[in-house]
Amino acid sequence: MGIFTIASQHLRFAVKLAFAIVLALFVGFHFQLETPRWAVLTAALVAAGPAFAAGGEPYSGAIRYRGMLRIVGTFIGCAAALVIIITMIRSPLLMLMVCCVWAGFCTWVSSLVKVENSYAWGLSGYTALIIVITIQAEPLLAPQFAVERCSEIVIGIVCAIVADLLFSPRSIKQEVDRELDAMIVAQYQLMQLCIKHGDSAEMDNAWGALVRRTAALEGMRSNLNMESSRWSRANRRLKAINTVSLTLITQACETFLIQNTRPEVVTDTFRELFEAPVETVQDVHRQLKRMRRVMAWTGEHDTPVTIYTWVGASTRFLLLKRGVVSNTKISAIEEDVLQSEVVIKPESAERHHAMVNFWRTTLACMLGALFWLWTGWTSGTGAMVMIAVVTSLAMRLPNPRMVAIDFLYGAIAALPIGAFYFLVVLPSTQQSMLLLCISLAVLAFFIGIEVQKRRLGSLGALASTINILVLDNPMTFHFSQFLDSALGQLVGCFLAMMVILLVRDNSQARTGRVLLNQFVSAAVSAMTTNTARRKENHLPALYQQLFLLLTKFPGDVAKFRLALTMIIAHQRLRNAPVPINDDLSAFHRQLRHTADRVISASSDDKRRRYFSQLLEELNVYQEKLRVWEAPPQVTEPVRRLTEVLHRYQNALTDS
């Protein structure tokens, strides 16, 4: 697609963005805000951010979700700024340094929390820094600045949401319904591949695609939940469908792996049942009815456990899917499904990565502040703001370097655009509010089209252009002011990118090892006789970690298979009928303790020692299971887990 081409599907959002910016400007001037540009900038970023991420018009829930996170982040940042100012007002340099540390702390937290919510923490970091920088000349006006900032940002968010509502909001509900239909068909086709036991590469592609689709469906659920309160029942069902989908993937993959050593497990009866091709949900429904009749005739004990579990999960999937589509009252059967398990949230495996992000943001902000104070540069505040914004927002994304480059390109592109508007267009519109709004609407319209194409520098250009236009009340047009502001943005973006490049993030290998050890710990922790612990469902957390592993190591098939093997081991051991007695219960606690020490080990030597200890304890555990006459449903998964850990010991312990 060319630079100057305008596709029809991009027009509606471009109009929506232009309206949001114009409305924020009009409201800002109407309420006599001193700096309405912050309201305009907020409206632009709240609307354009989801569009850039989606590569097109975002769904309505995405804009509202981003707006709510921005409000939360702004209030946290304002509160932190006021506390810092009140306690350190007599020492301006210390106050500024502590604020830089706060920005780094927020970046650290945003690197650990759920990706969607990290936006609020990243925003709170640089909001506090902006307030502290702004009040350097007049510190006693800090409460006023904080209130004004909150007001401007809330106005901008409300304007973005109003624009989304007025211009035919794009509901995600129909997309969710279509994705559920396609997903159950894909699940059935994956099971067909696994039962055929064909090419492993084809199977890897199929289950990898389904893992990604399940993760994407969870993101769609968040948007649907924010779209309207009437989807609350559908939201509960979709939460459960996420777990059911992951269960289906796990059982299908286990069916494939079992046949590597015992192909006779899958009988000819079930091979024939899965031979029939499926294209629609109705086809899947008919096949599942046939399978349930066959299993009722053959009995549970004569049905492979993976197929039995898979059919049960598929039935639950169809039941919940029907409820999502109709959005009717939750039935008693559905309620039992929804409350059957407690979903456990995952622990972060990126603690080292988060610490690197902390130092990147803190050092960048401190160096920028010291340079500003040393030189006395009037636009040092603009550079500081850009450093904080770029580092805080870039750190929470997989490729911070590209985000920094996007902002730098955007700042460069904003120079000629901003100069033309600042020197020619805006001075000519001062006598007419209508002309001012039209001129900004034209700018927002064309940049909005480029944002949807995910053009490098488009989002940075939108933010930088609005920022350097200095939409204050009243507006002044001093060229030196414009030049200082533009130069400050360029320097800030450049310094932020330099810090990101110089402070290297070498945490990828460590993160991969921690993730794999967490899979091992999850498999070991599944060996328990505690009823409450058995009800804990770690599957969504494990697959979230697997998705992170896919992101970190996109071509490492060995890591994916090892992680998947651990997930399968966890599921099998979780449902295994372990004999209940004090001896085994005490040993389960010892196994979990040793597995946790493997994860938390501070060096390779300690990790190897604890891992060897874990292997020895698993050997002892197998002897205990024989003494207590545990059934094969327990001894076999434990034996397979021990063999896998022996085989991949080096990969799990060495950095």
Side-chain angles (χ1 to χ4, degrees):
M1 186 176 289
I3 296 178
F4 300 105
T5 57
I6 300 177
S8 57
Q9 67 267 24
H10 294 153
L11 291 177
R12 185 168 64 179
F13 173 75
V15 173
K16 187 186 299 183
L17 177 64
F19 182 83
I21 287 175
V22 168
L23 182 62
L25 181 70
F26 184 83
V27 172
F29 275 107
H30 178 74
F31 286 104
Q32 298 296 311
L33 297 179
E34 189 174 344
T35 53
R37 65 167 170 164
W38 291 111
V40 176
L41 187 60
T42 300
L45 293 178
V46 168
F52 186 83
E57 186 183 11
Y59 296 106
S60 58
I63 291 177
R64 295 172 204 179
Y65 192 25
R66 190 177 181 90
M68 293 303 297
L69 290 176
R70 198 170 181 91
I71 289 175
V72 171
T74 300
F75 276 97
I76 294 174
C78 289
L82 289 175
V83 171
I84 293 171
I85 292 167
I86 291 169
T87 55
M88 303 176 190
I89 194 169
R90 295 184 180 275
S91 180
L93 179 61
L94 180 62
M95 178 174 65
L96 199 56
M97 293 297 105
V98 170
C99 201
C100 293
V101 174
W102 165 258
F105 170 78
C106 290
T107 303
W108 175 74
V109 175
S110 71
S111 302
L112 294 176
V113 302
K114 189 179 176 184
V115 174
E116 293 86 348
N117 300 333
S118 66
Y119 181 70
W121 280 104
L123 190 78
S124 67
Y126 70 75
T127 298
L129 193 59
I130 290 171
I131 292 174
V132 171
I133 291 169
T134 307
I135 58 92
Q136 283 294 308
E138 299 174 287
L140 296 178
L141 296 179
Q144 180 183 337
F145 276 114
V147 171
E148 286 179 358
R149 175 54 44 81
C150 289
S151 304
E152 290 157 0
I153 286 176
V154 170
I155 287 173
I157 292 167
V158 170
C159 290
I161 294 173
V162 168
D164 187 56
L165 291 171
L166 289 176
F167 291 90
S168 303
R170 186 175 171 223
S171 177
I172 202 171
K173 179 61 167 58
Q174 292 78 19
E175 192 69 25
V176 168
D177 295 344
R178 285 193 293 269
E179 180 60 19
L180 288 174
D181 289 347
M183 188 173 286
I184 189 62
V185 173
Q187 292 281 9
Y188 192 96
Q189 291 169 347
L190 174 64
M191 191 62 167
Q192 283 181 315
L193 281 175
C194 293
I195 286 179
K196 288 178 182 177
H197 202 260
D199 183 28
S200 58
E202 186 180 4
M203 198 276 295
D204 287 337
N205 291 332
W207 77 256
L210 265 173
V211 169
R212 291 184 177 89
R213 290 179 74 167
T214 304
L217 183 66
E218 183 66 7
M220 294 164 73
R221 182 193 65 78
S222 300
N223 286 336
L224 183 67
N225 191 39
M226 290 299 298
E227 188 176 302
S228 174
S229 59
R230 72 177 185 271
W231 303 127
S232 59
R233 292 188 293 265
N235 179 62
R236 286 191 65 196
R237 290 174 172 122
L238 285 169
K239 274 187 178 179
I241 283 176
N242 180 59
T243 302
V244 174
S245 178
L246 298 174
T247 303
L248 289 169
I249 296 171
T250 307
Q251 298 305 321
C253 293
E254 186 176 3
T255 304
F256 180 88
L257 294 176
I258 286 175
Q259 294 181 88
N260 289 335
T261 55
R262 293 188 294 160
E264 71 281 356
V265 169
V266 182
T267 61
D268 293 338
T269 302
F270 288 100
R271 291 188 189 278
E272 291 174 5
L273 279 171
F274 278 95
E275 280 182 357
V278 295
E279 299 293 337
T280 63
V281 180
Q282 289 73 25
D283 295 340
V284 175
H285 186 67
R286 282 194 295 270
Q287 288 297 105
L288 288 175
K289 286 179 67 175
R290 288 181 60 197
M291 289 177 195
R292 286 195 293 268
R293 285 197 296 267
V294 171
M295 287 190 301
W297 178 66
T298 57
E300 180 181 346
H301 296 291
D302 295 325
T303 304
V305 63
T306 56
I307 294 179
Y308 185 85
T309 308
W310 186 91
V311 172
S314 298
T315 305
R316 293 196 299 274
F317 190 107
L318 287 174
L319 173 68
L320 295 169
K321 184 192 80 68
R322 195 181 302 118
V324 171
V325 174
S326 62
N327 198 35
T328 52
K329 185 180 178 181
I330 295 173
S331 64
I333 299 173
E334 288 179 301
E335 193 66 44
D336 289 340
V337 174
L338 296 175
Q339 295 185 356
S340 59
E341 295 175 326
V342 179
V343 177
I344 303 299
K345 293 182 178 180
E347 292 185 8
S348 177
E350 297 189 281
R351 298 184 183 278
H352 183 69
H353 170 70
M355 187 55 62
V356 172
N357 289 344
F358 165 81
W359 285 114
R360 279 176 165 176
T361 301
T362 303
L363 289 175
C365 294
M366 283 184 173
L367 291 174
L370 292 173
F371 177 76
W372 168 42
L373 295 175
W374 179 61
T375 59
W377 183 24
T378 55
S379 287
T381 57
M384 282 289 301
V385 170
M386 292 309 298
I387 289 172
V389 170
V390 174
T391 53
S392 298
L393 296 183
M395 294 306 114
R396 64 190 187 90
L397 298 174
N399 193 346
R401 177 175 163 271
M402 288 305 298
V403 177
I405 291 173
D406 182 84
F407 270 92
L408 183 60
Y409 283 5
I412 294 172
L415 280 175
I417 300 172
F420 175 70
Y421 265 76
F422 189 85
L423 299 175
V424 178
V425 177
L426 294 185
S428 304
T429 61
Q430 290 304 290
Q431 303 303 317
S432 173
M433 186 67 183
L434 178 62
L435 289 177
L436 177 62
C437 291
I438 291 174
S439 62
L440 285 178
V442 171
L443 174 67
F445 179 85
F446 286 103
I447 296 181
I449 290 175
E450 295 304 305
V451 165
Q452 294 175 88
K453 300 176 186 177
R454 307 188 78 175
R455 193 85 67 192
L456 186 63
S458 57
L459 191 61
L462 177 65
S464 297
T465 303
I466 293 174
N467 202 32
I468 65 175
L469 289 181
V470 194
L471 299 170
D472 293 340
N473 187 20
M475 295 180 66
T476 56
F477 301 97
H478 304 294
F479 183 70
S480 59
Q481 179 188 6
F482 168 80
L483 200 59
D484 266 5
S485 180
L487 189 60
Q489 288 196 147
L490 277 174
V491 171
C493 291
F494 180 76
L495 289 177
M497 189 177 70
M498 286 297 100
V499 170
I500 291 173
L501 293 176
L502 293 174
V503 182
R504 309 285 296 183
D505 187 2
N506 299 318
S507 63
Q508 185 175 10
R510 183 180 299 192
T511 301
R513 178 181 45 71
V514 172
L515 282 169
L516 291 175
N517 285 330
Q518 285 181 342
F519 289 123
V520 174
S521 178
V524 171
S525 66
M527 293 181 286
T528 180
T529 55
N530 187 298
T531 307
R533 191 181 290 274
R534 280 184 169 276
K535 281 190 171 184
E536 294 176 350
N537 189 350
H538 293 262
L539 208 56
L542 291 173
Y543 271 96
Q544 188 173 329
Q545 291 167 331
L546 180 62
F547 188 72
L548 178 60
L549 198 67
L550 285 165
T551 306
K552 293 282 185 183
F553 306 92
D556 199 335
V557 178
K559 278 188 171 65
F560 306 152
R561 288 179 177 170
L562 178 57
L564 187 62
T565 303
M566 292 295 106
I567 293 173
I568 291 170
H570 169 271
Q571 275 301 91
R572 186 58 52 227
L573 289 166
R574 178 172 174 254
N575 299 319
V578 180
I580 301 175
N581 58 69
D582 293 338
D583 182 27
L584 290 180
S585 296
F587 208 80
H588 291 155
R589 287 192 291 271
Q590 177 61 38
L591 285 170
R592 288 194 296 272
H593 178 67
T594 306
D596 290 339
R597 295 179 80 177
V598 172
I599 297 176
S600 60
S602 57
S603 66
D604 287 350
D605 290 337
K606 288 184 178 180
R607 193 175 304 108
R608 292 191 198 97
R609 187 167 71 250
Y610 292 138
F611 200 89
S612 300
Q613 181 182 335
L614 179 63
L615 293 176
E616 292 172 3
E617 289 175 357
L618 283 171
N619 291 330
V620 174
Y621 183 66
Q622 290 185 83
E623 290 295 328
K624 287 181 177 289
L625 290 176
R626 279 192 282 271
V627 169
W628 292 105
E629 300 180 347
Q633 296 96 315
V634 182
T635 57
E636 279 296 308
V638 174
R639 182 185 59 78
R640 287 201 299 268
L641 174 62
T642 307
E643 289 176 353
V644 170
L645 295 184
H646 271 289
R647 191 182 310 134
Y648 294 100
Q649 184 174 356
N650 292 334
L652 293 166
T653 55
D654 295 338
S655 295

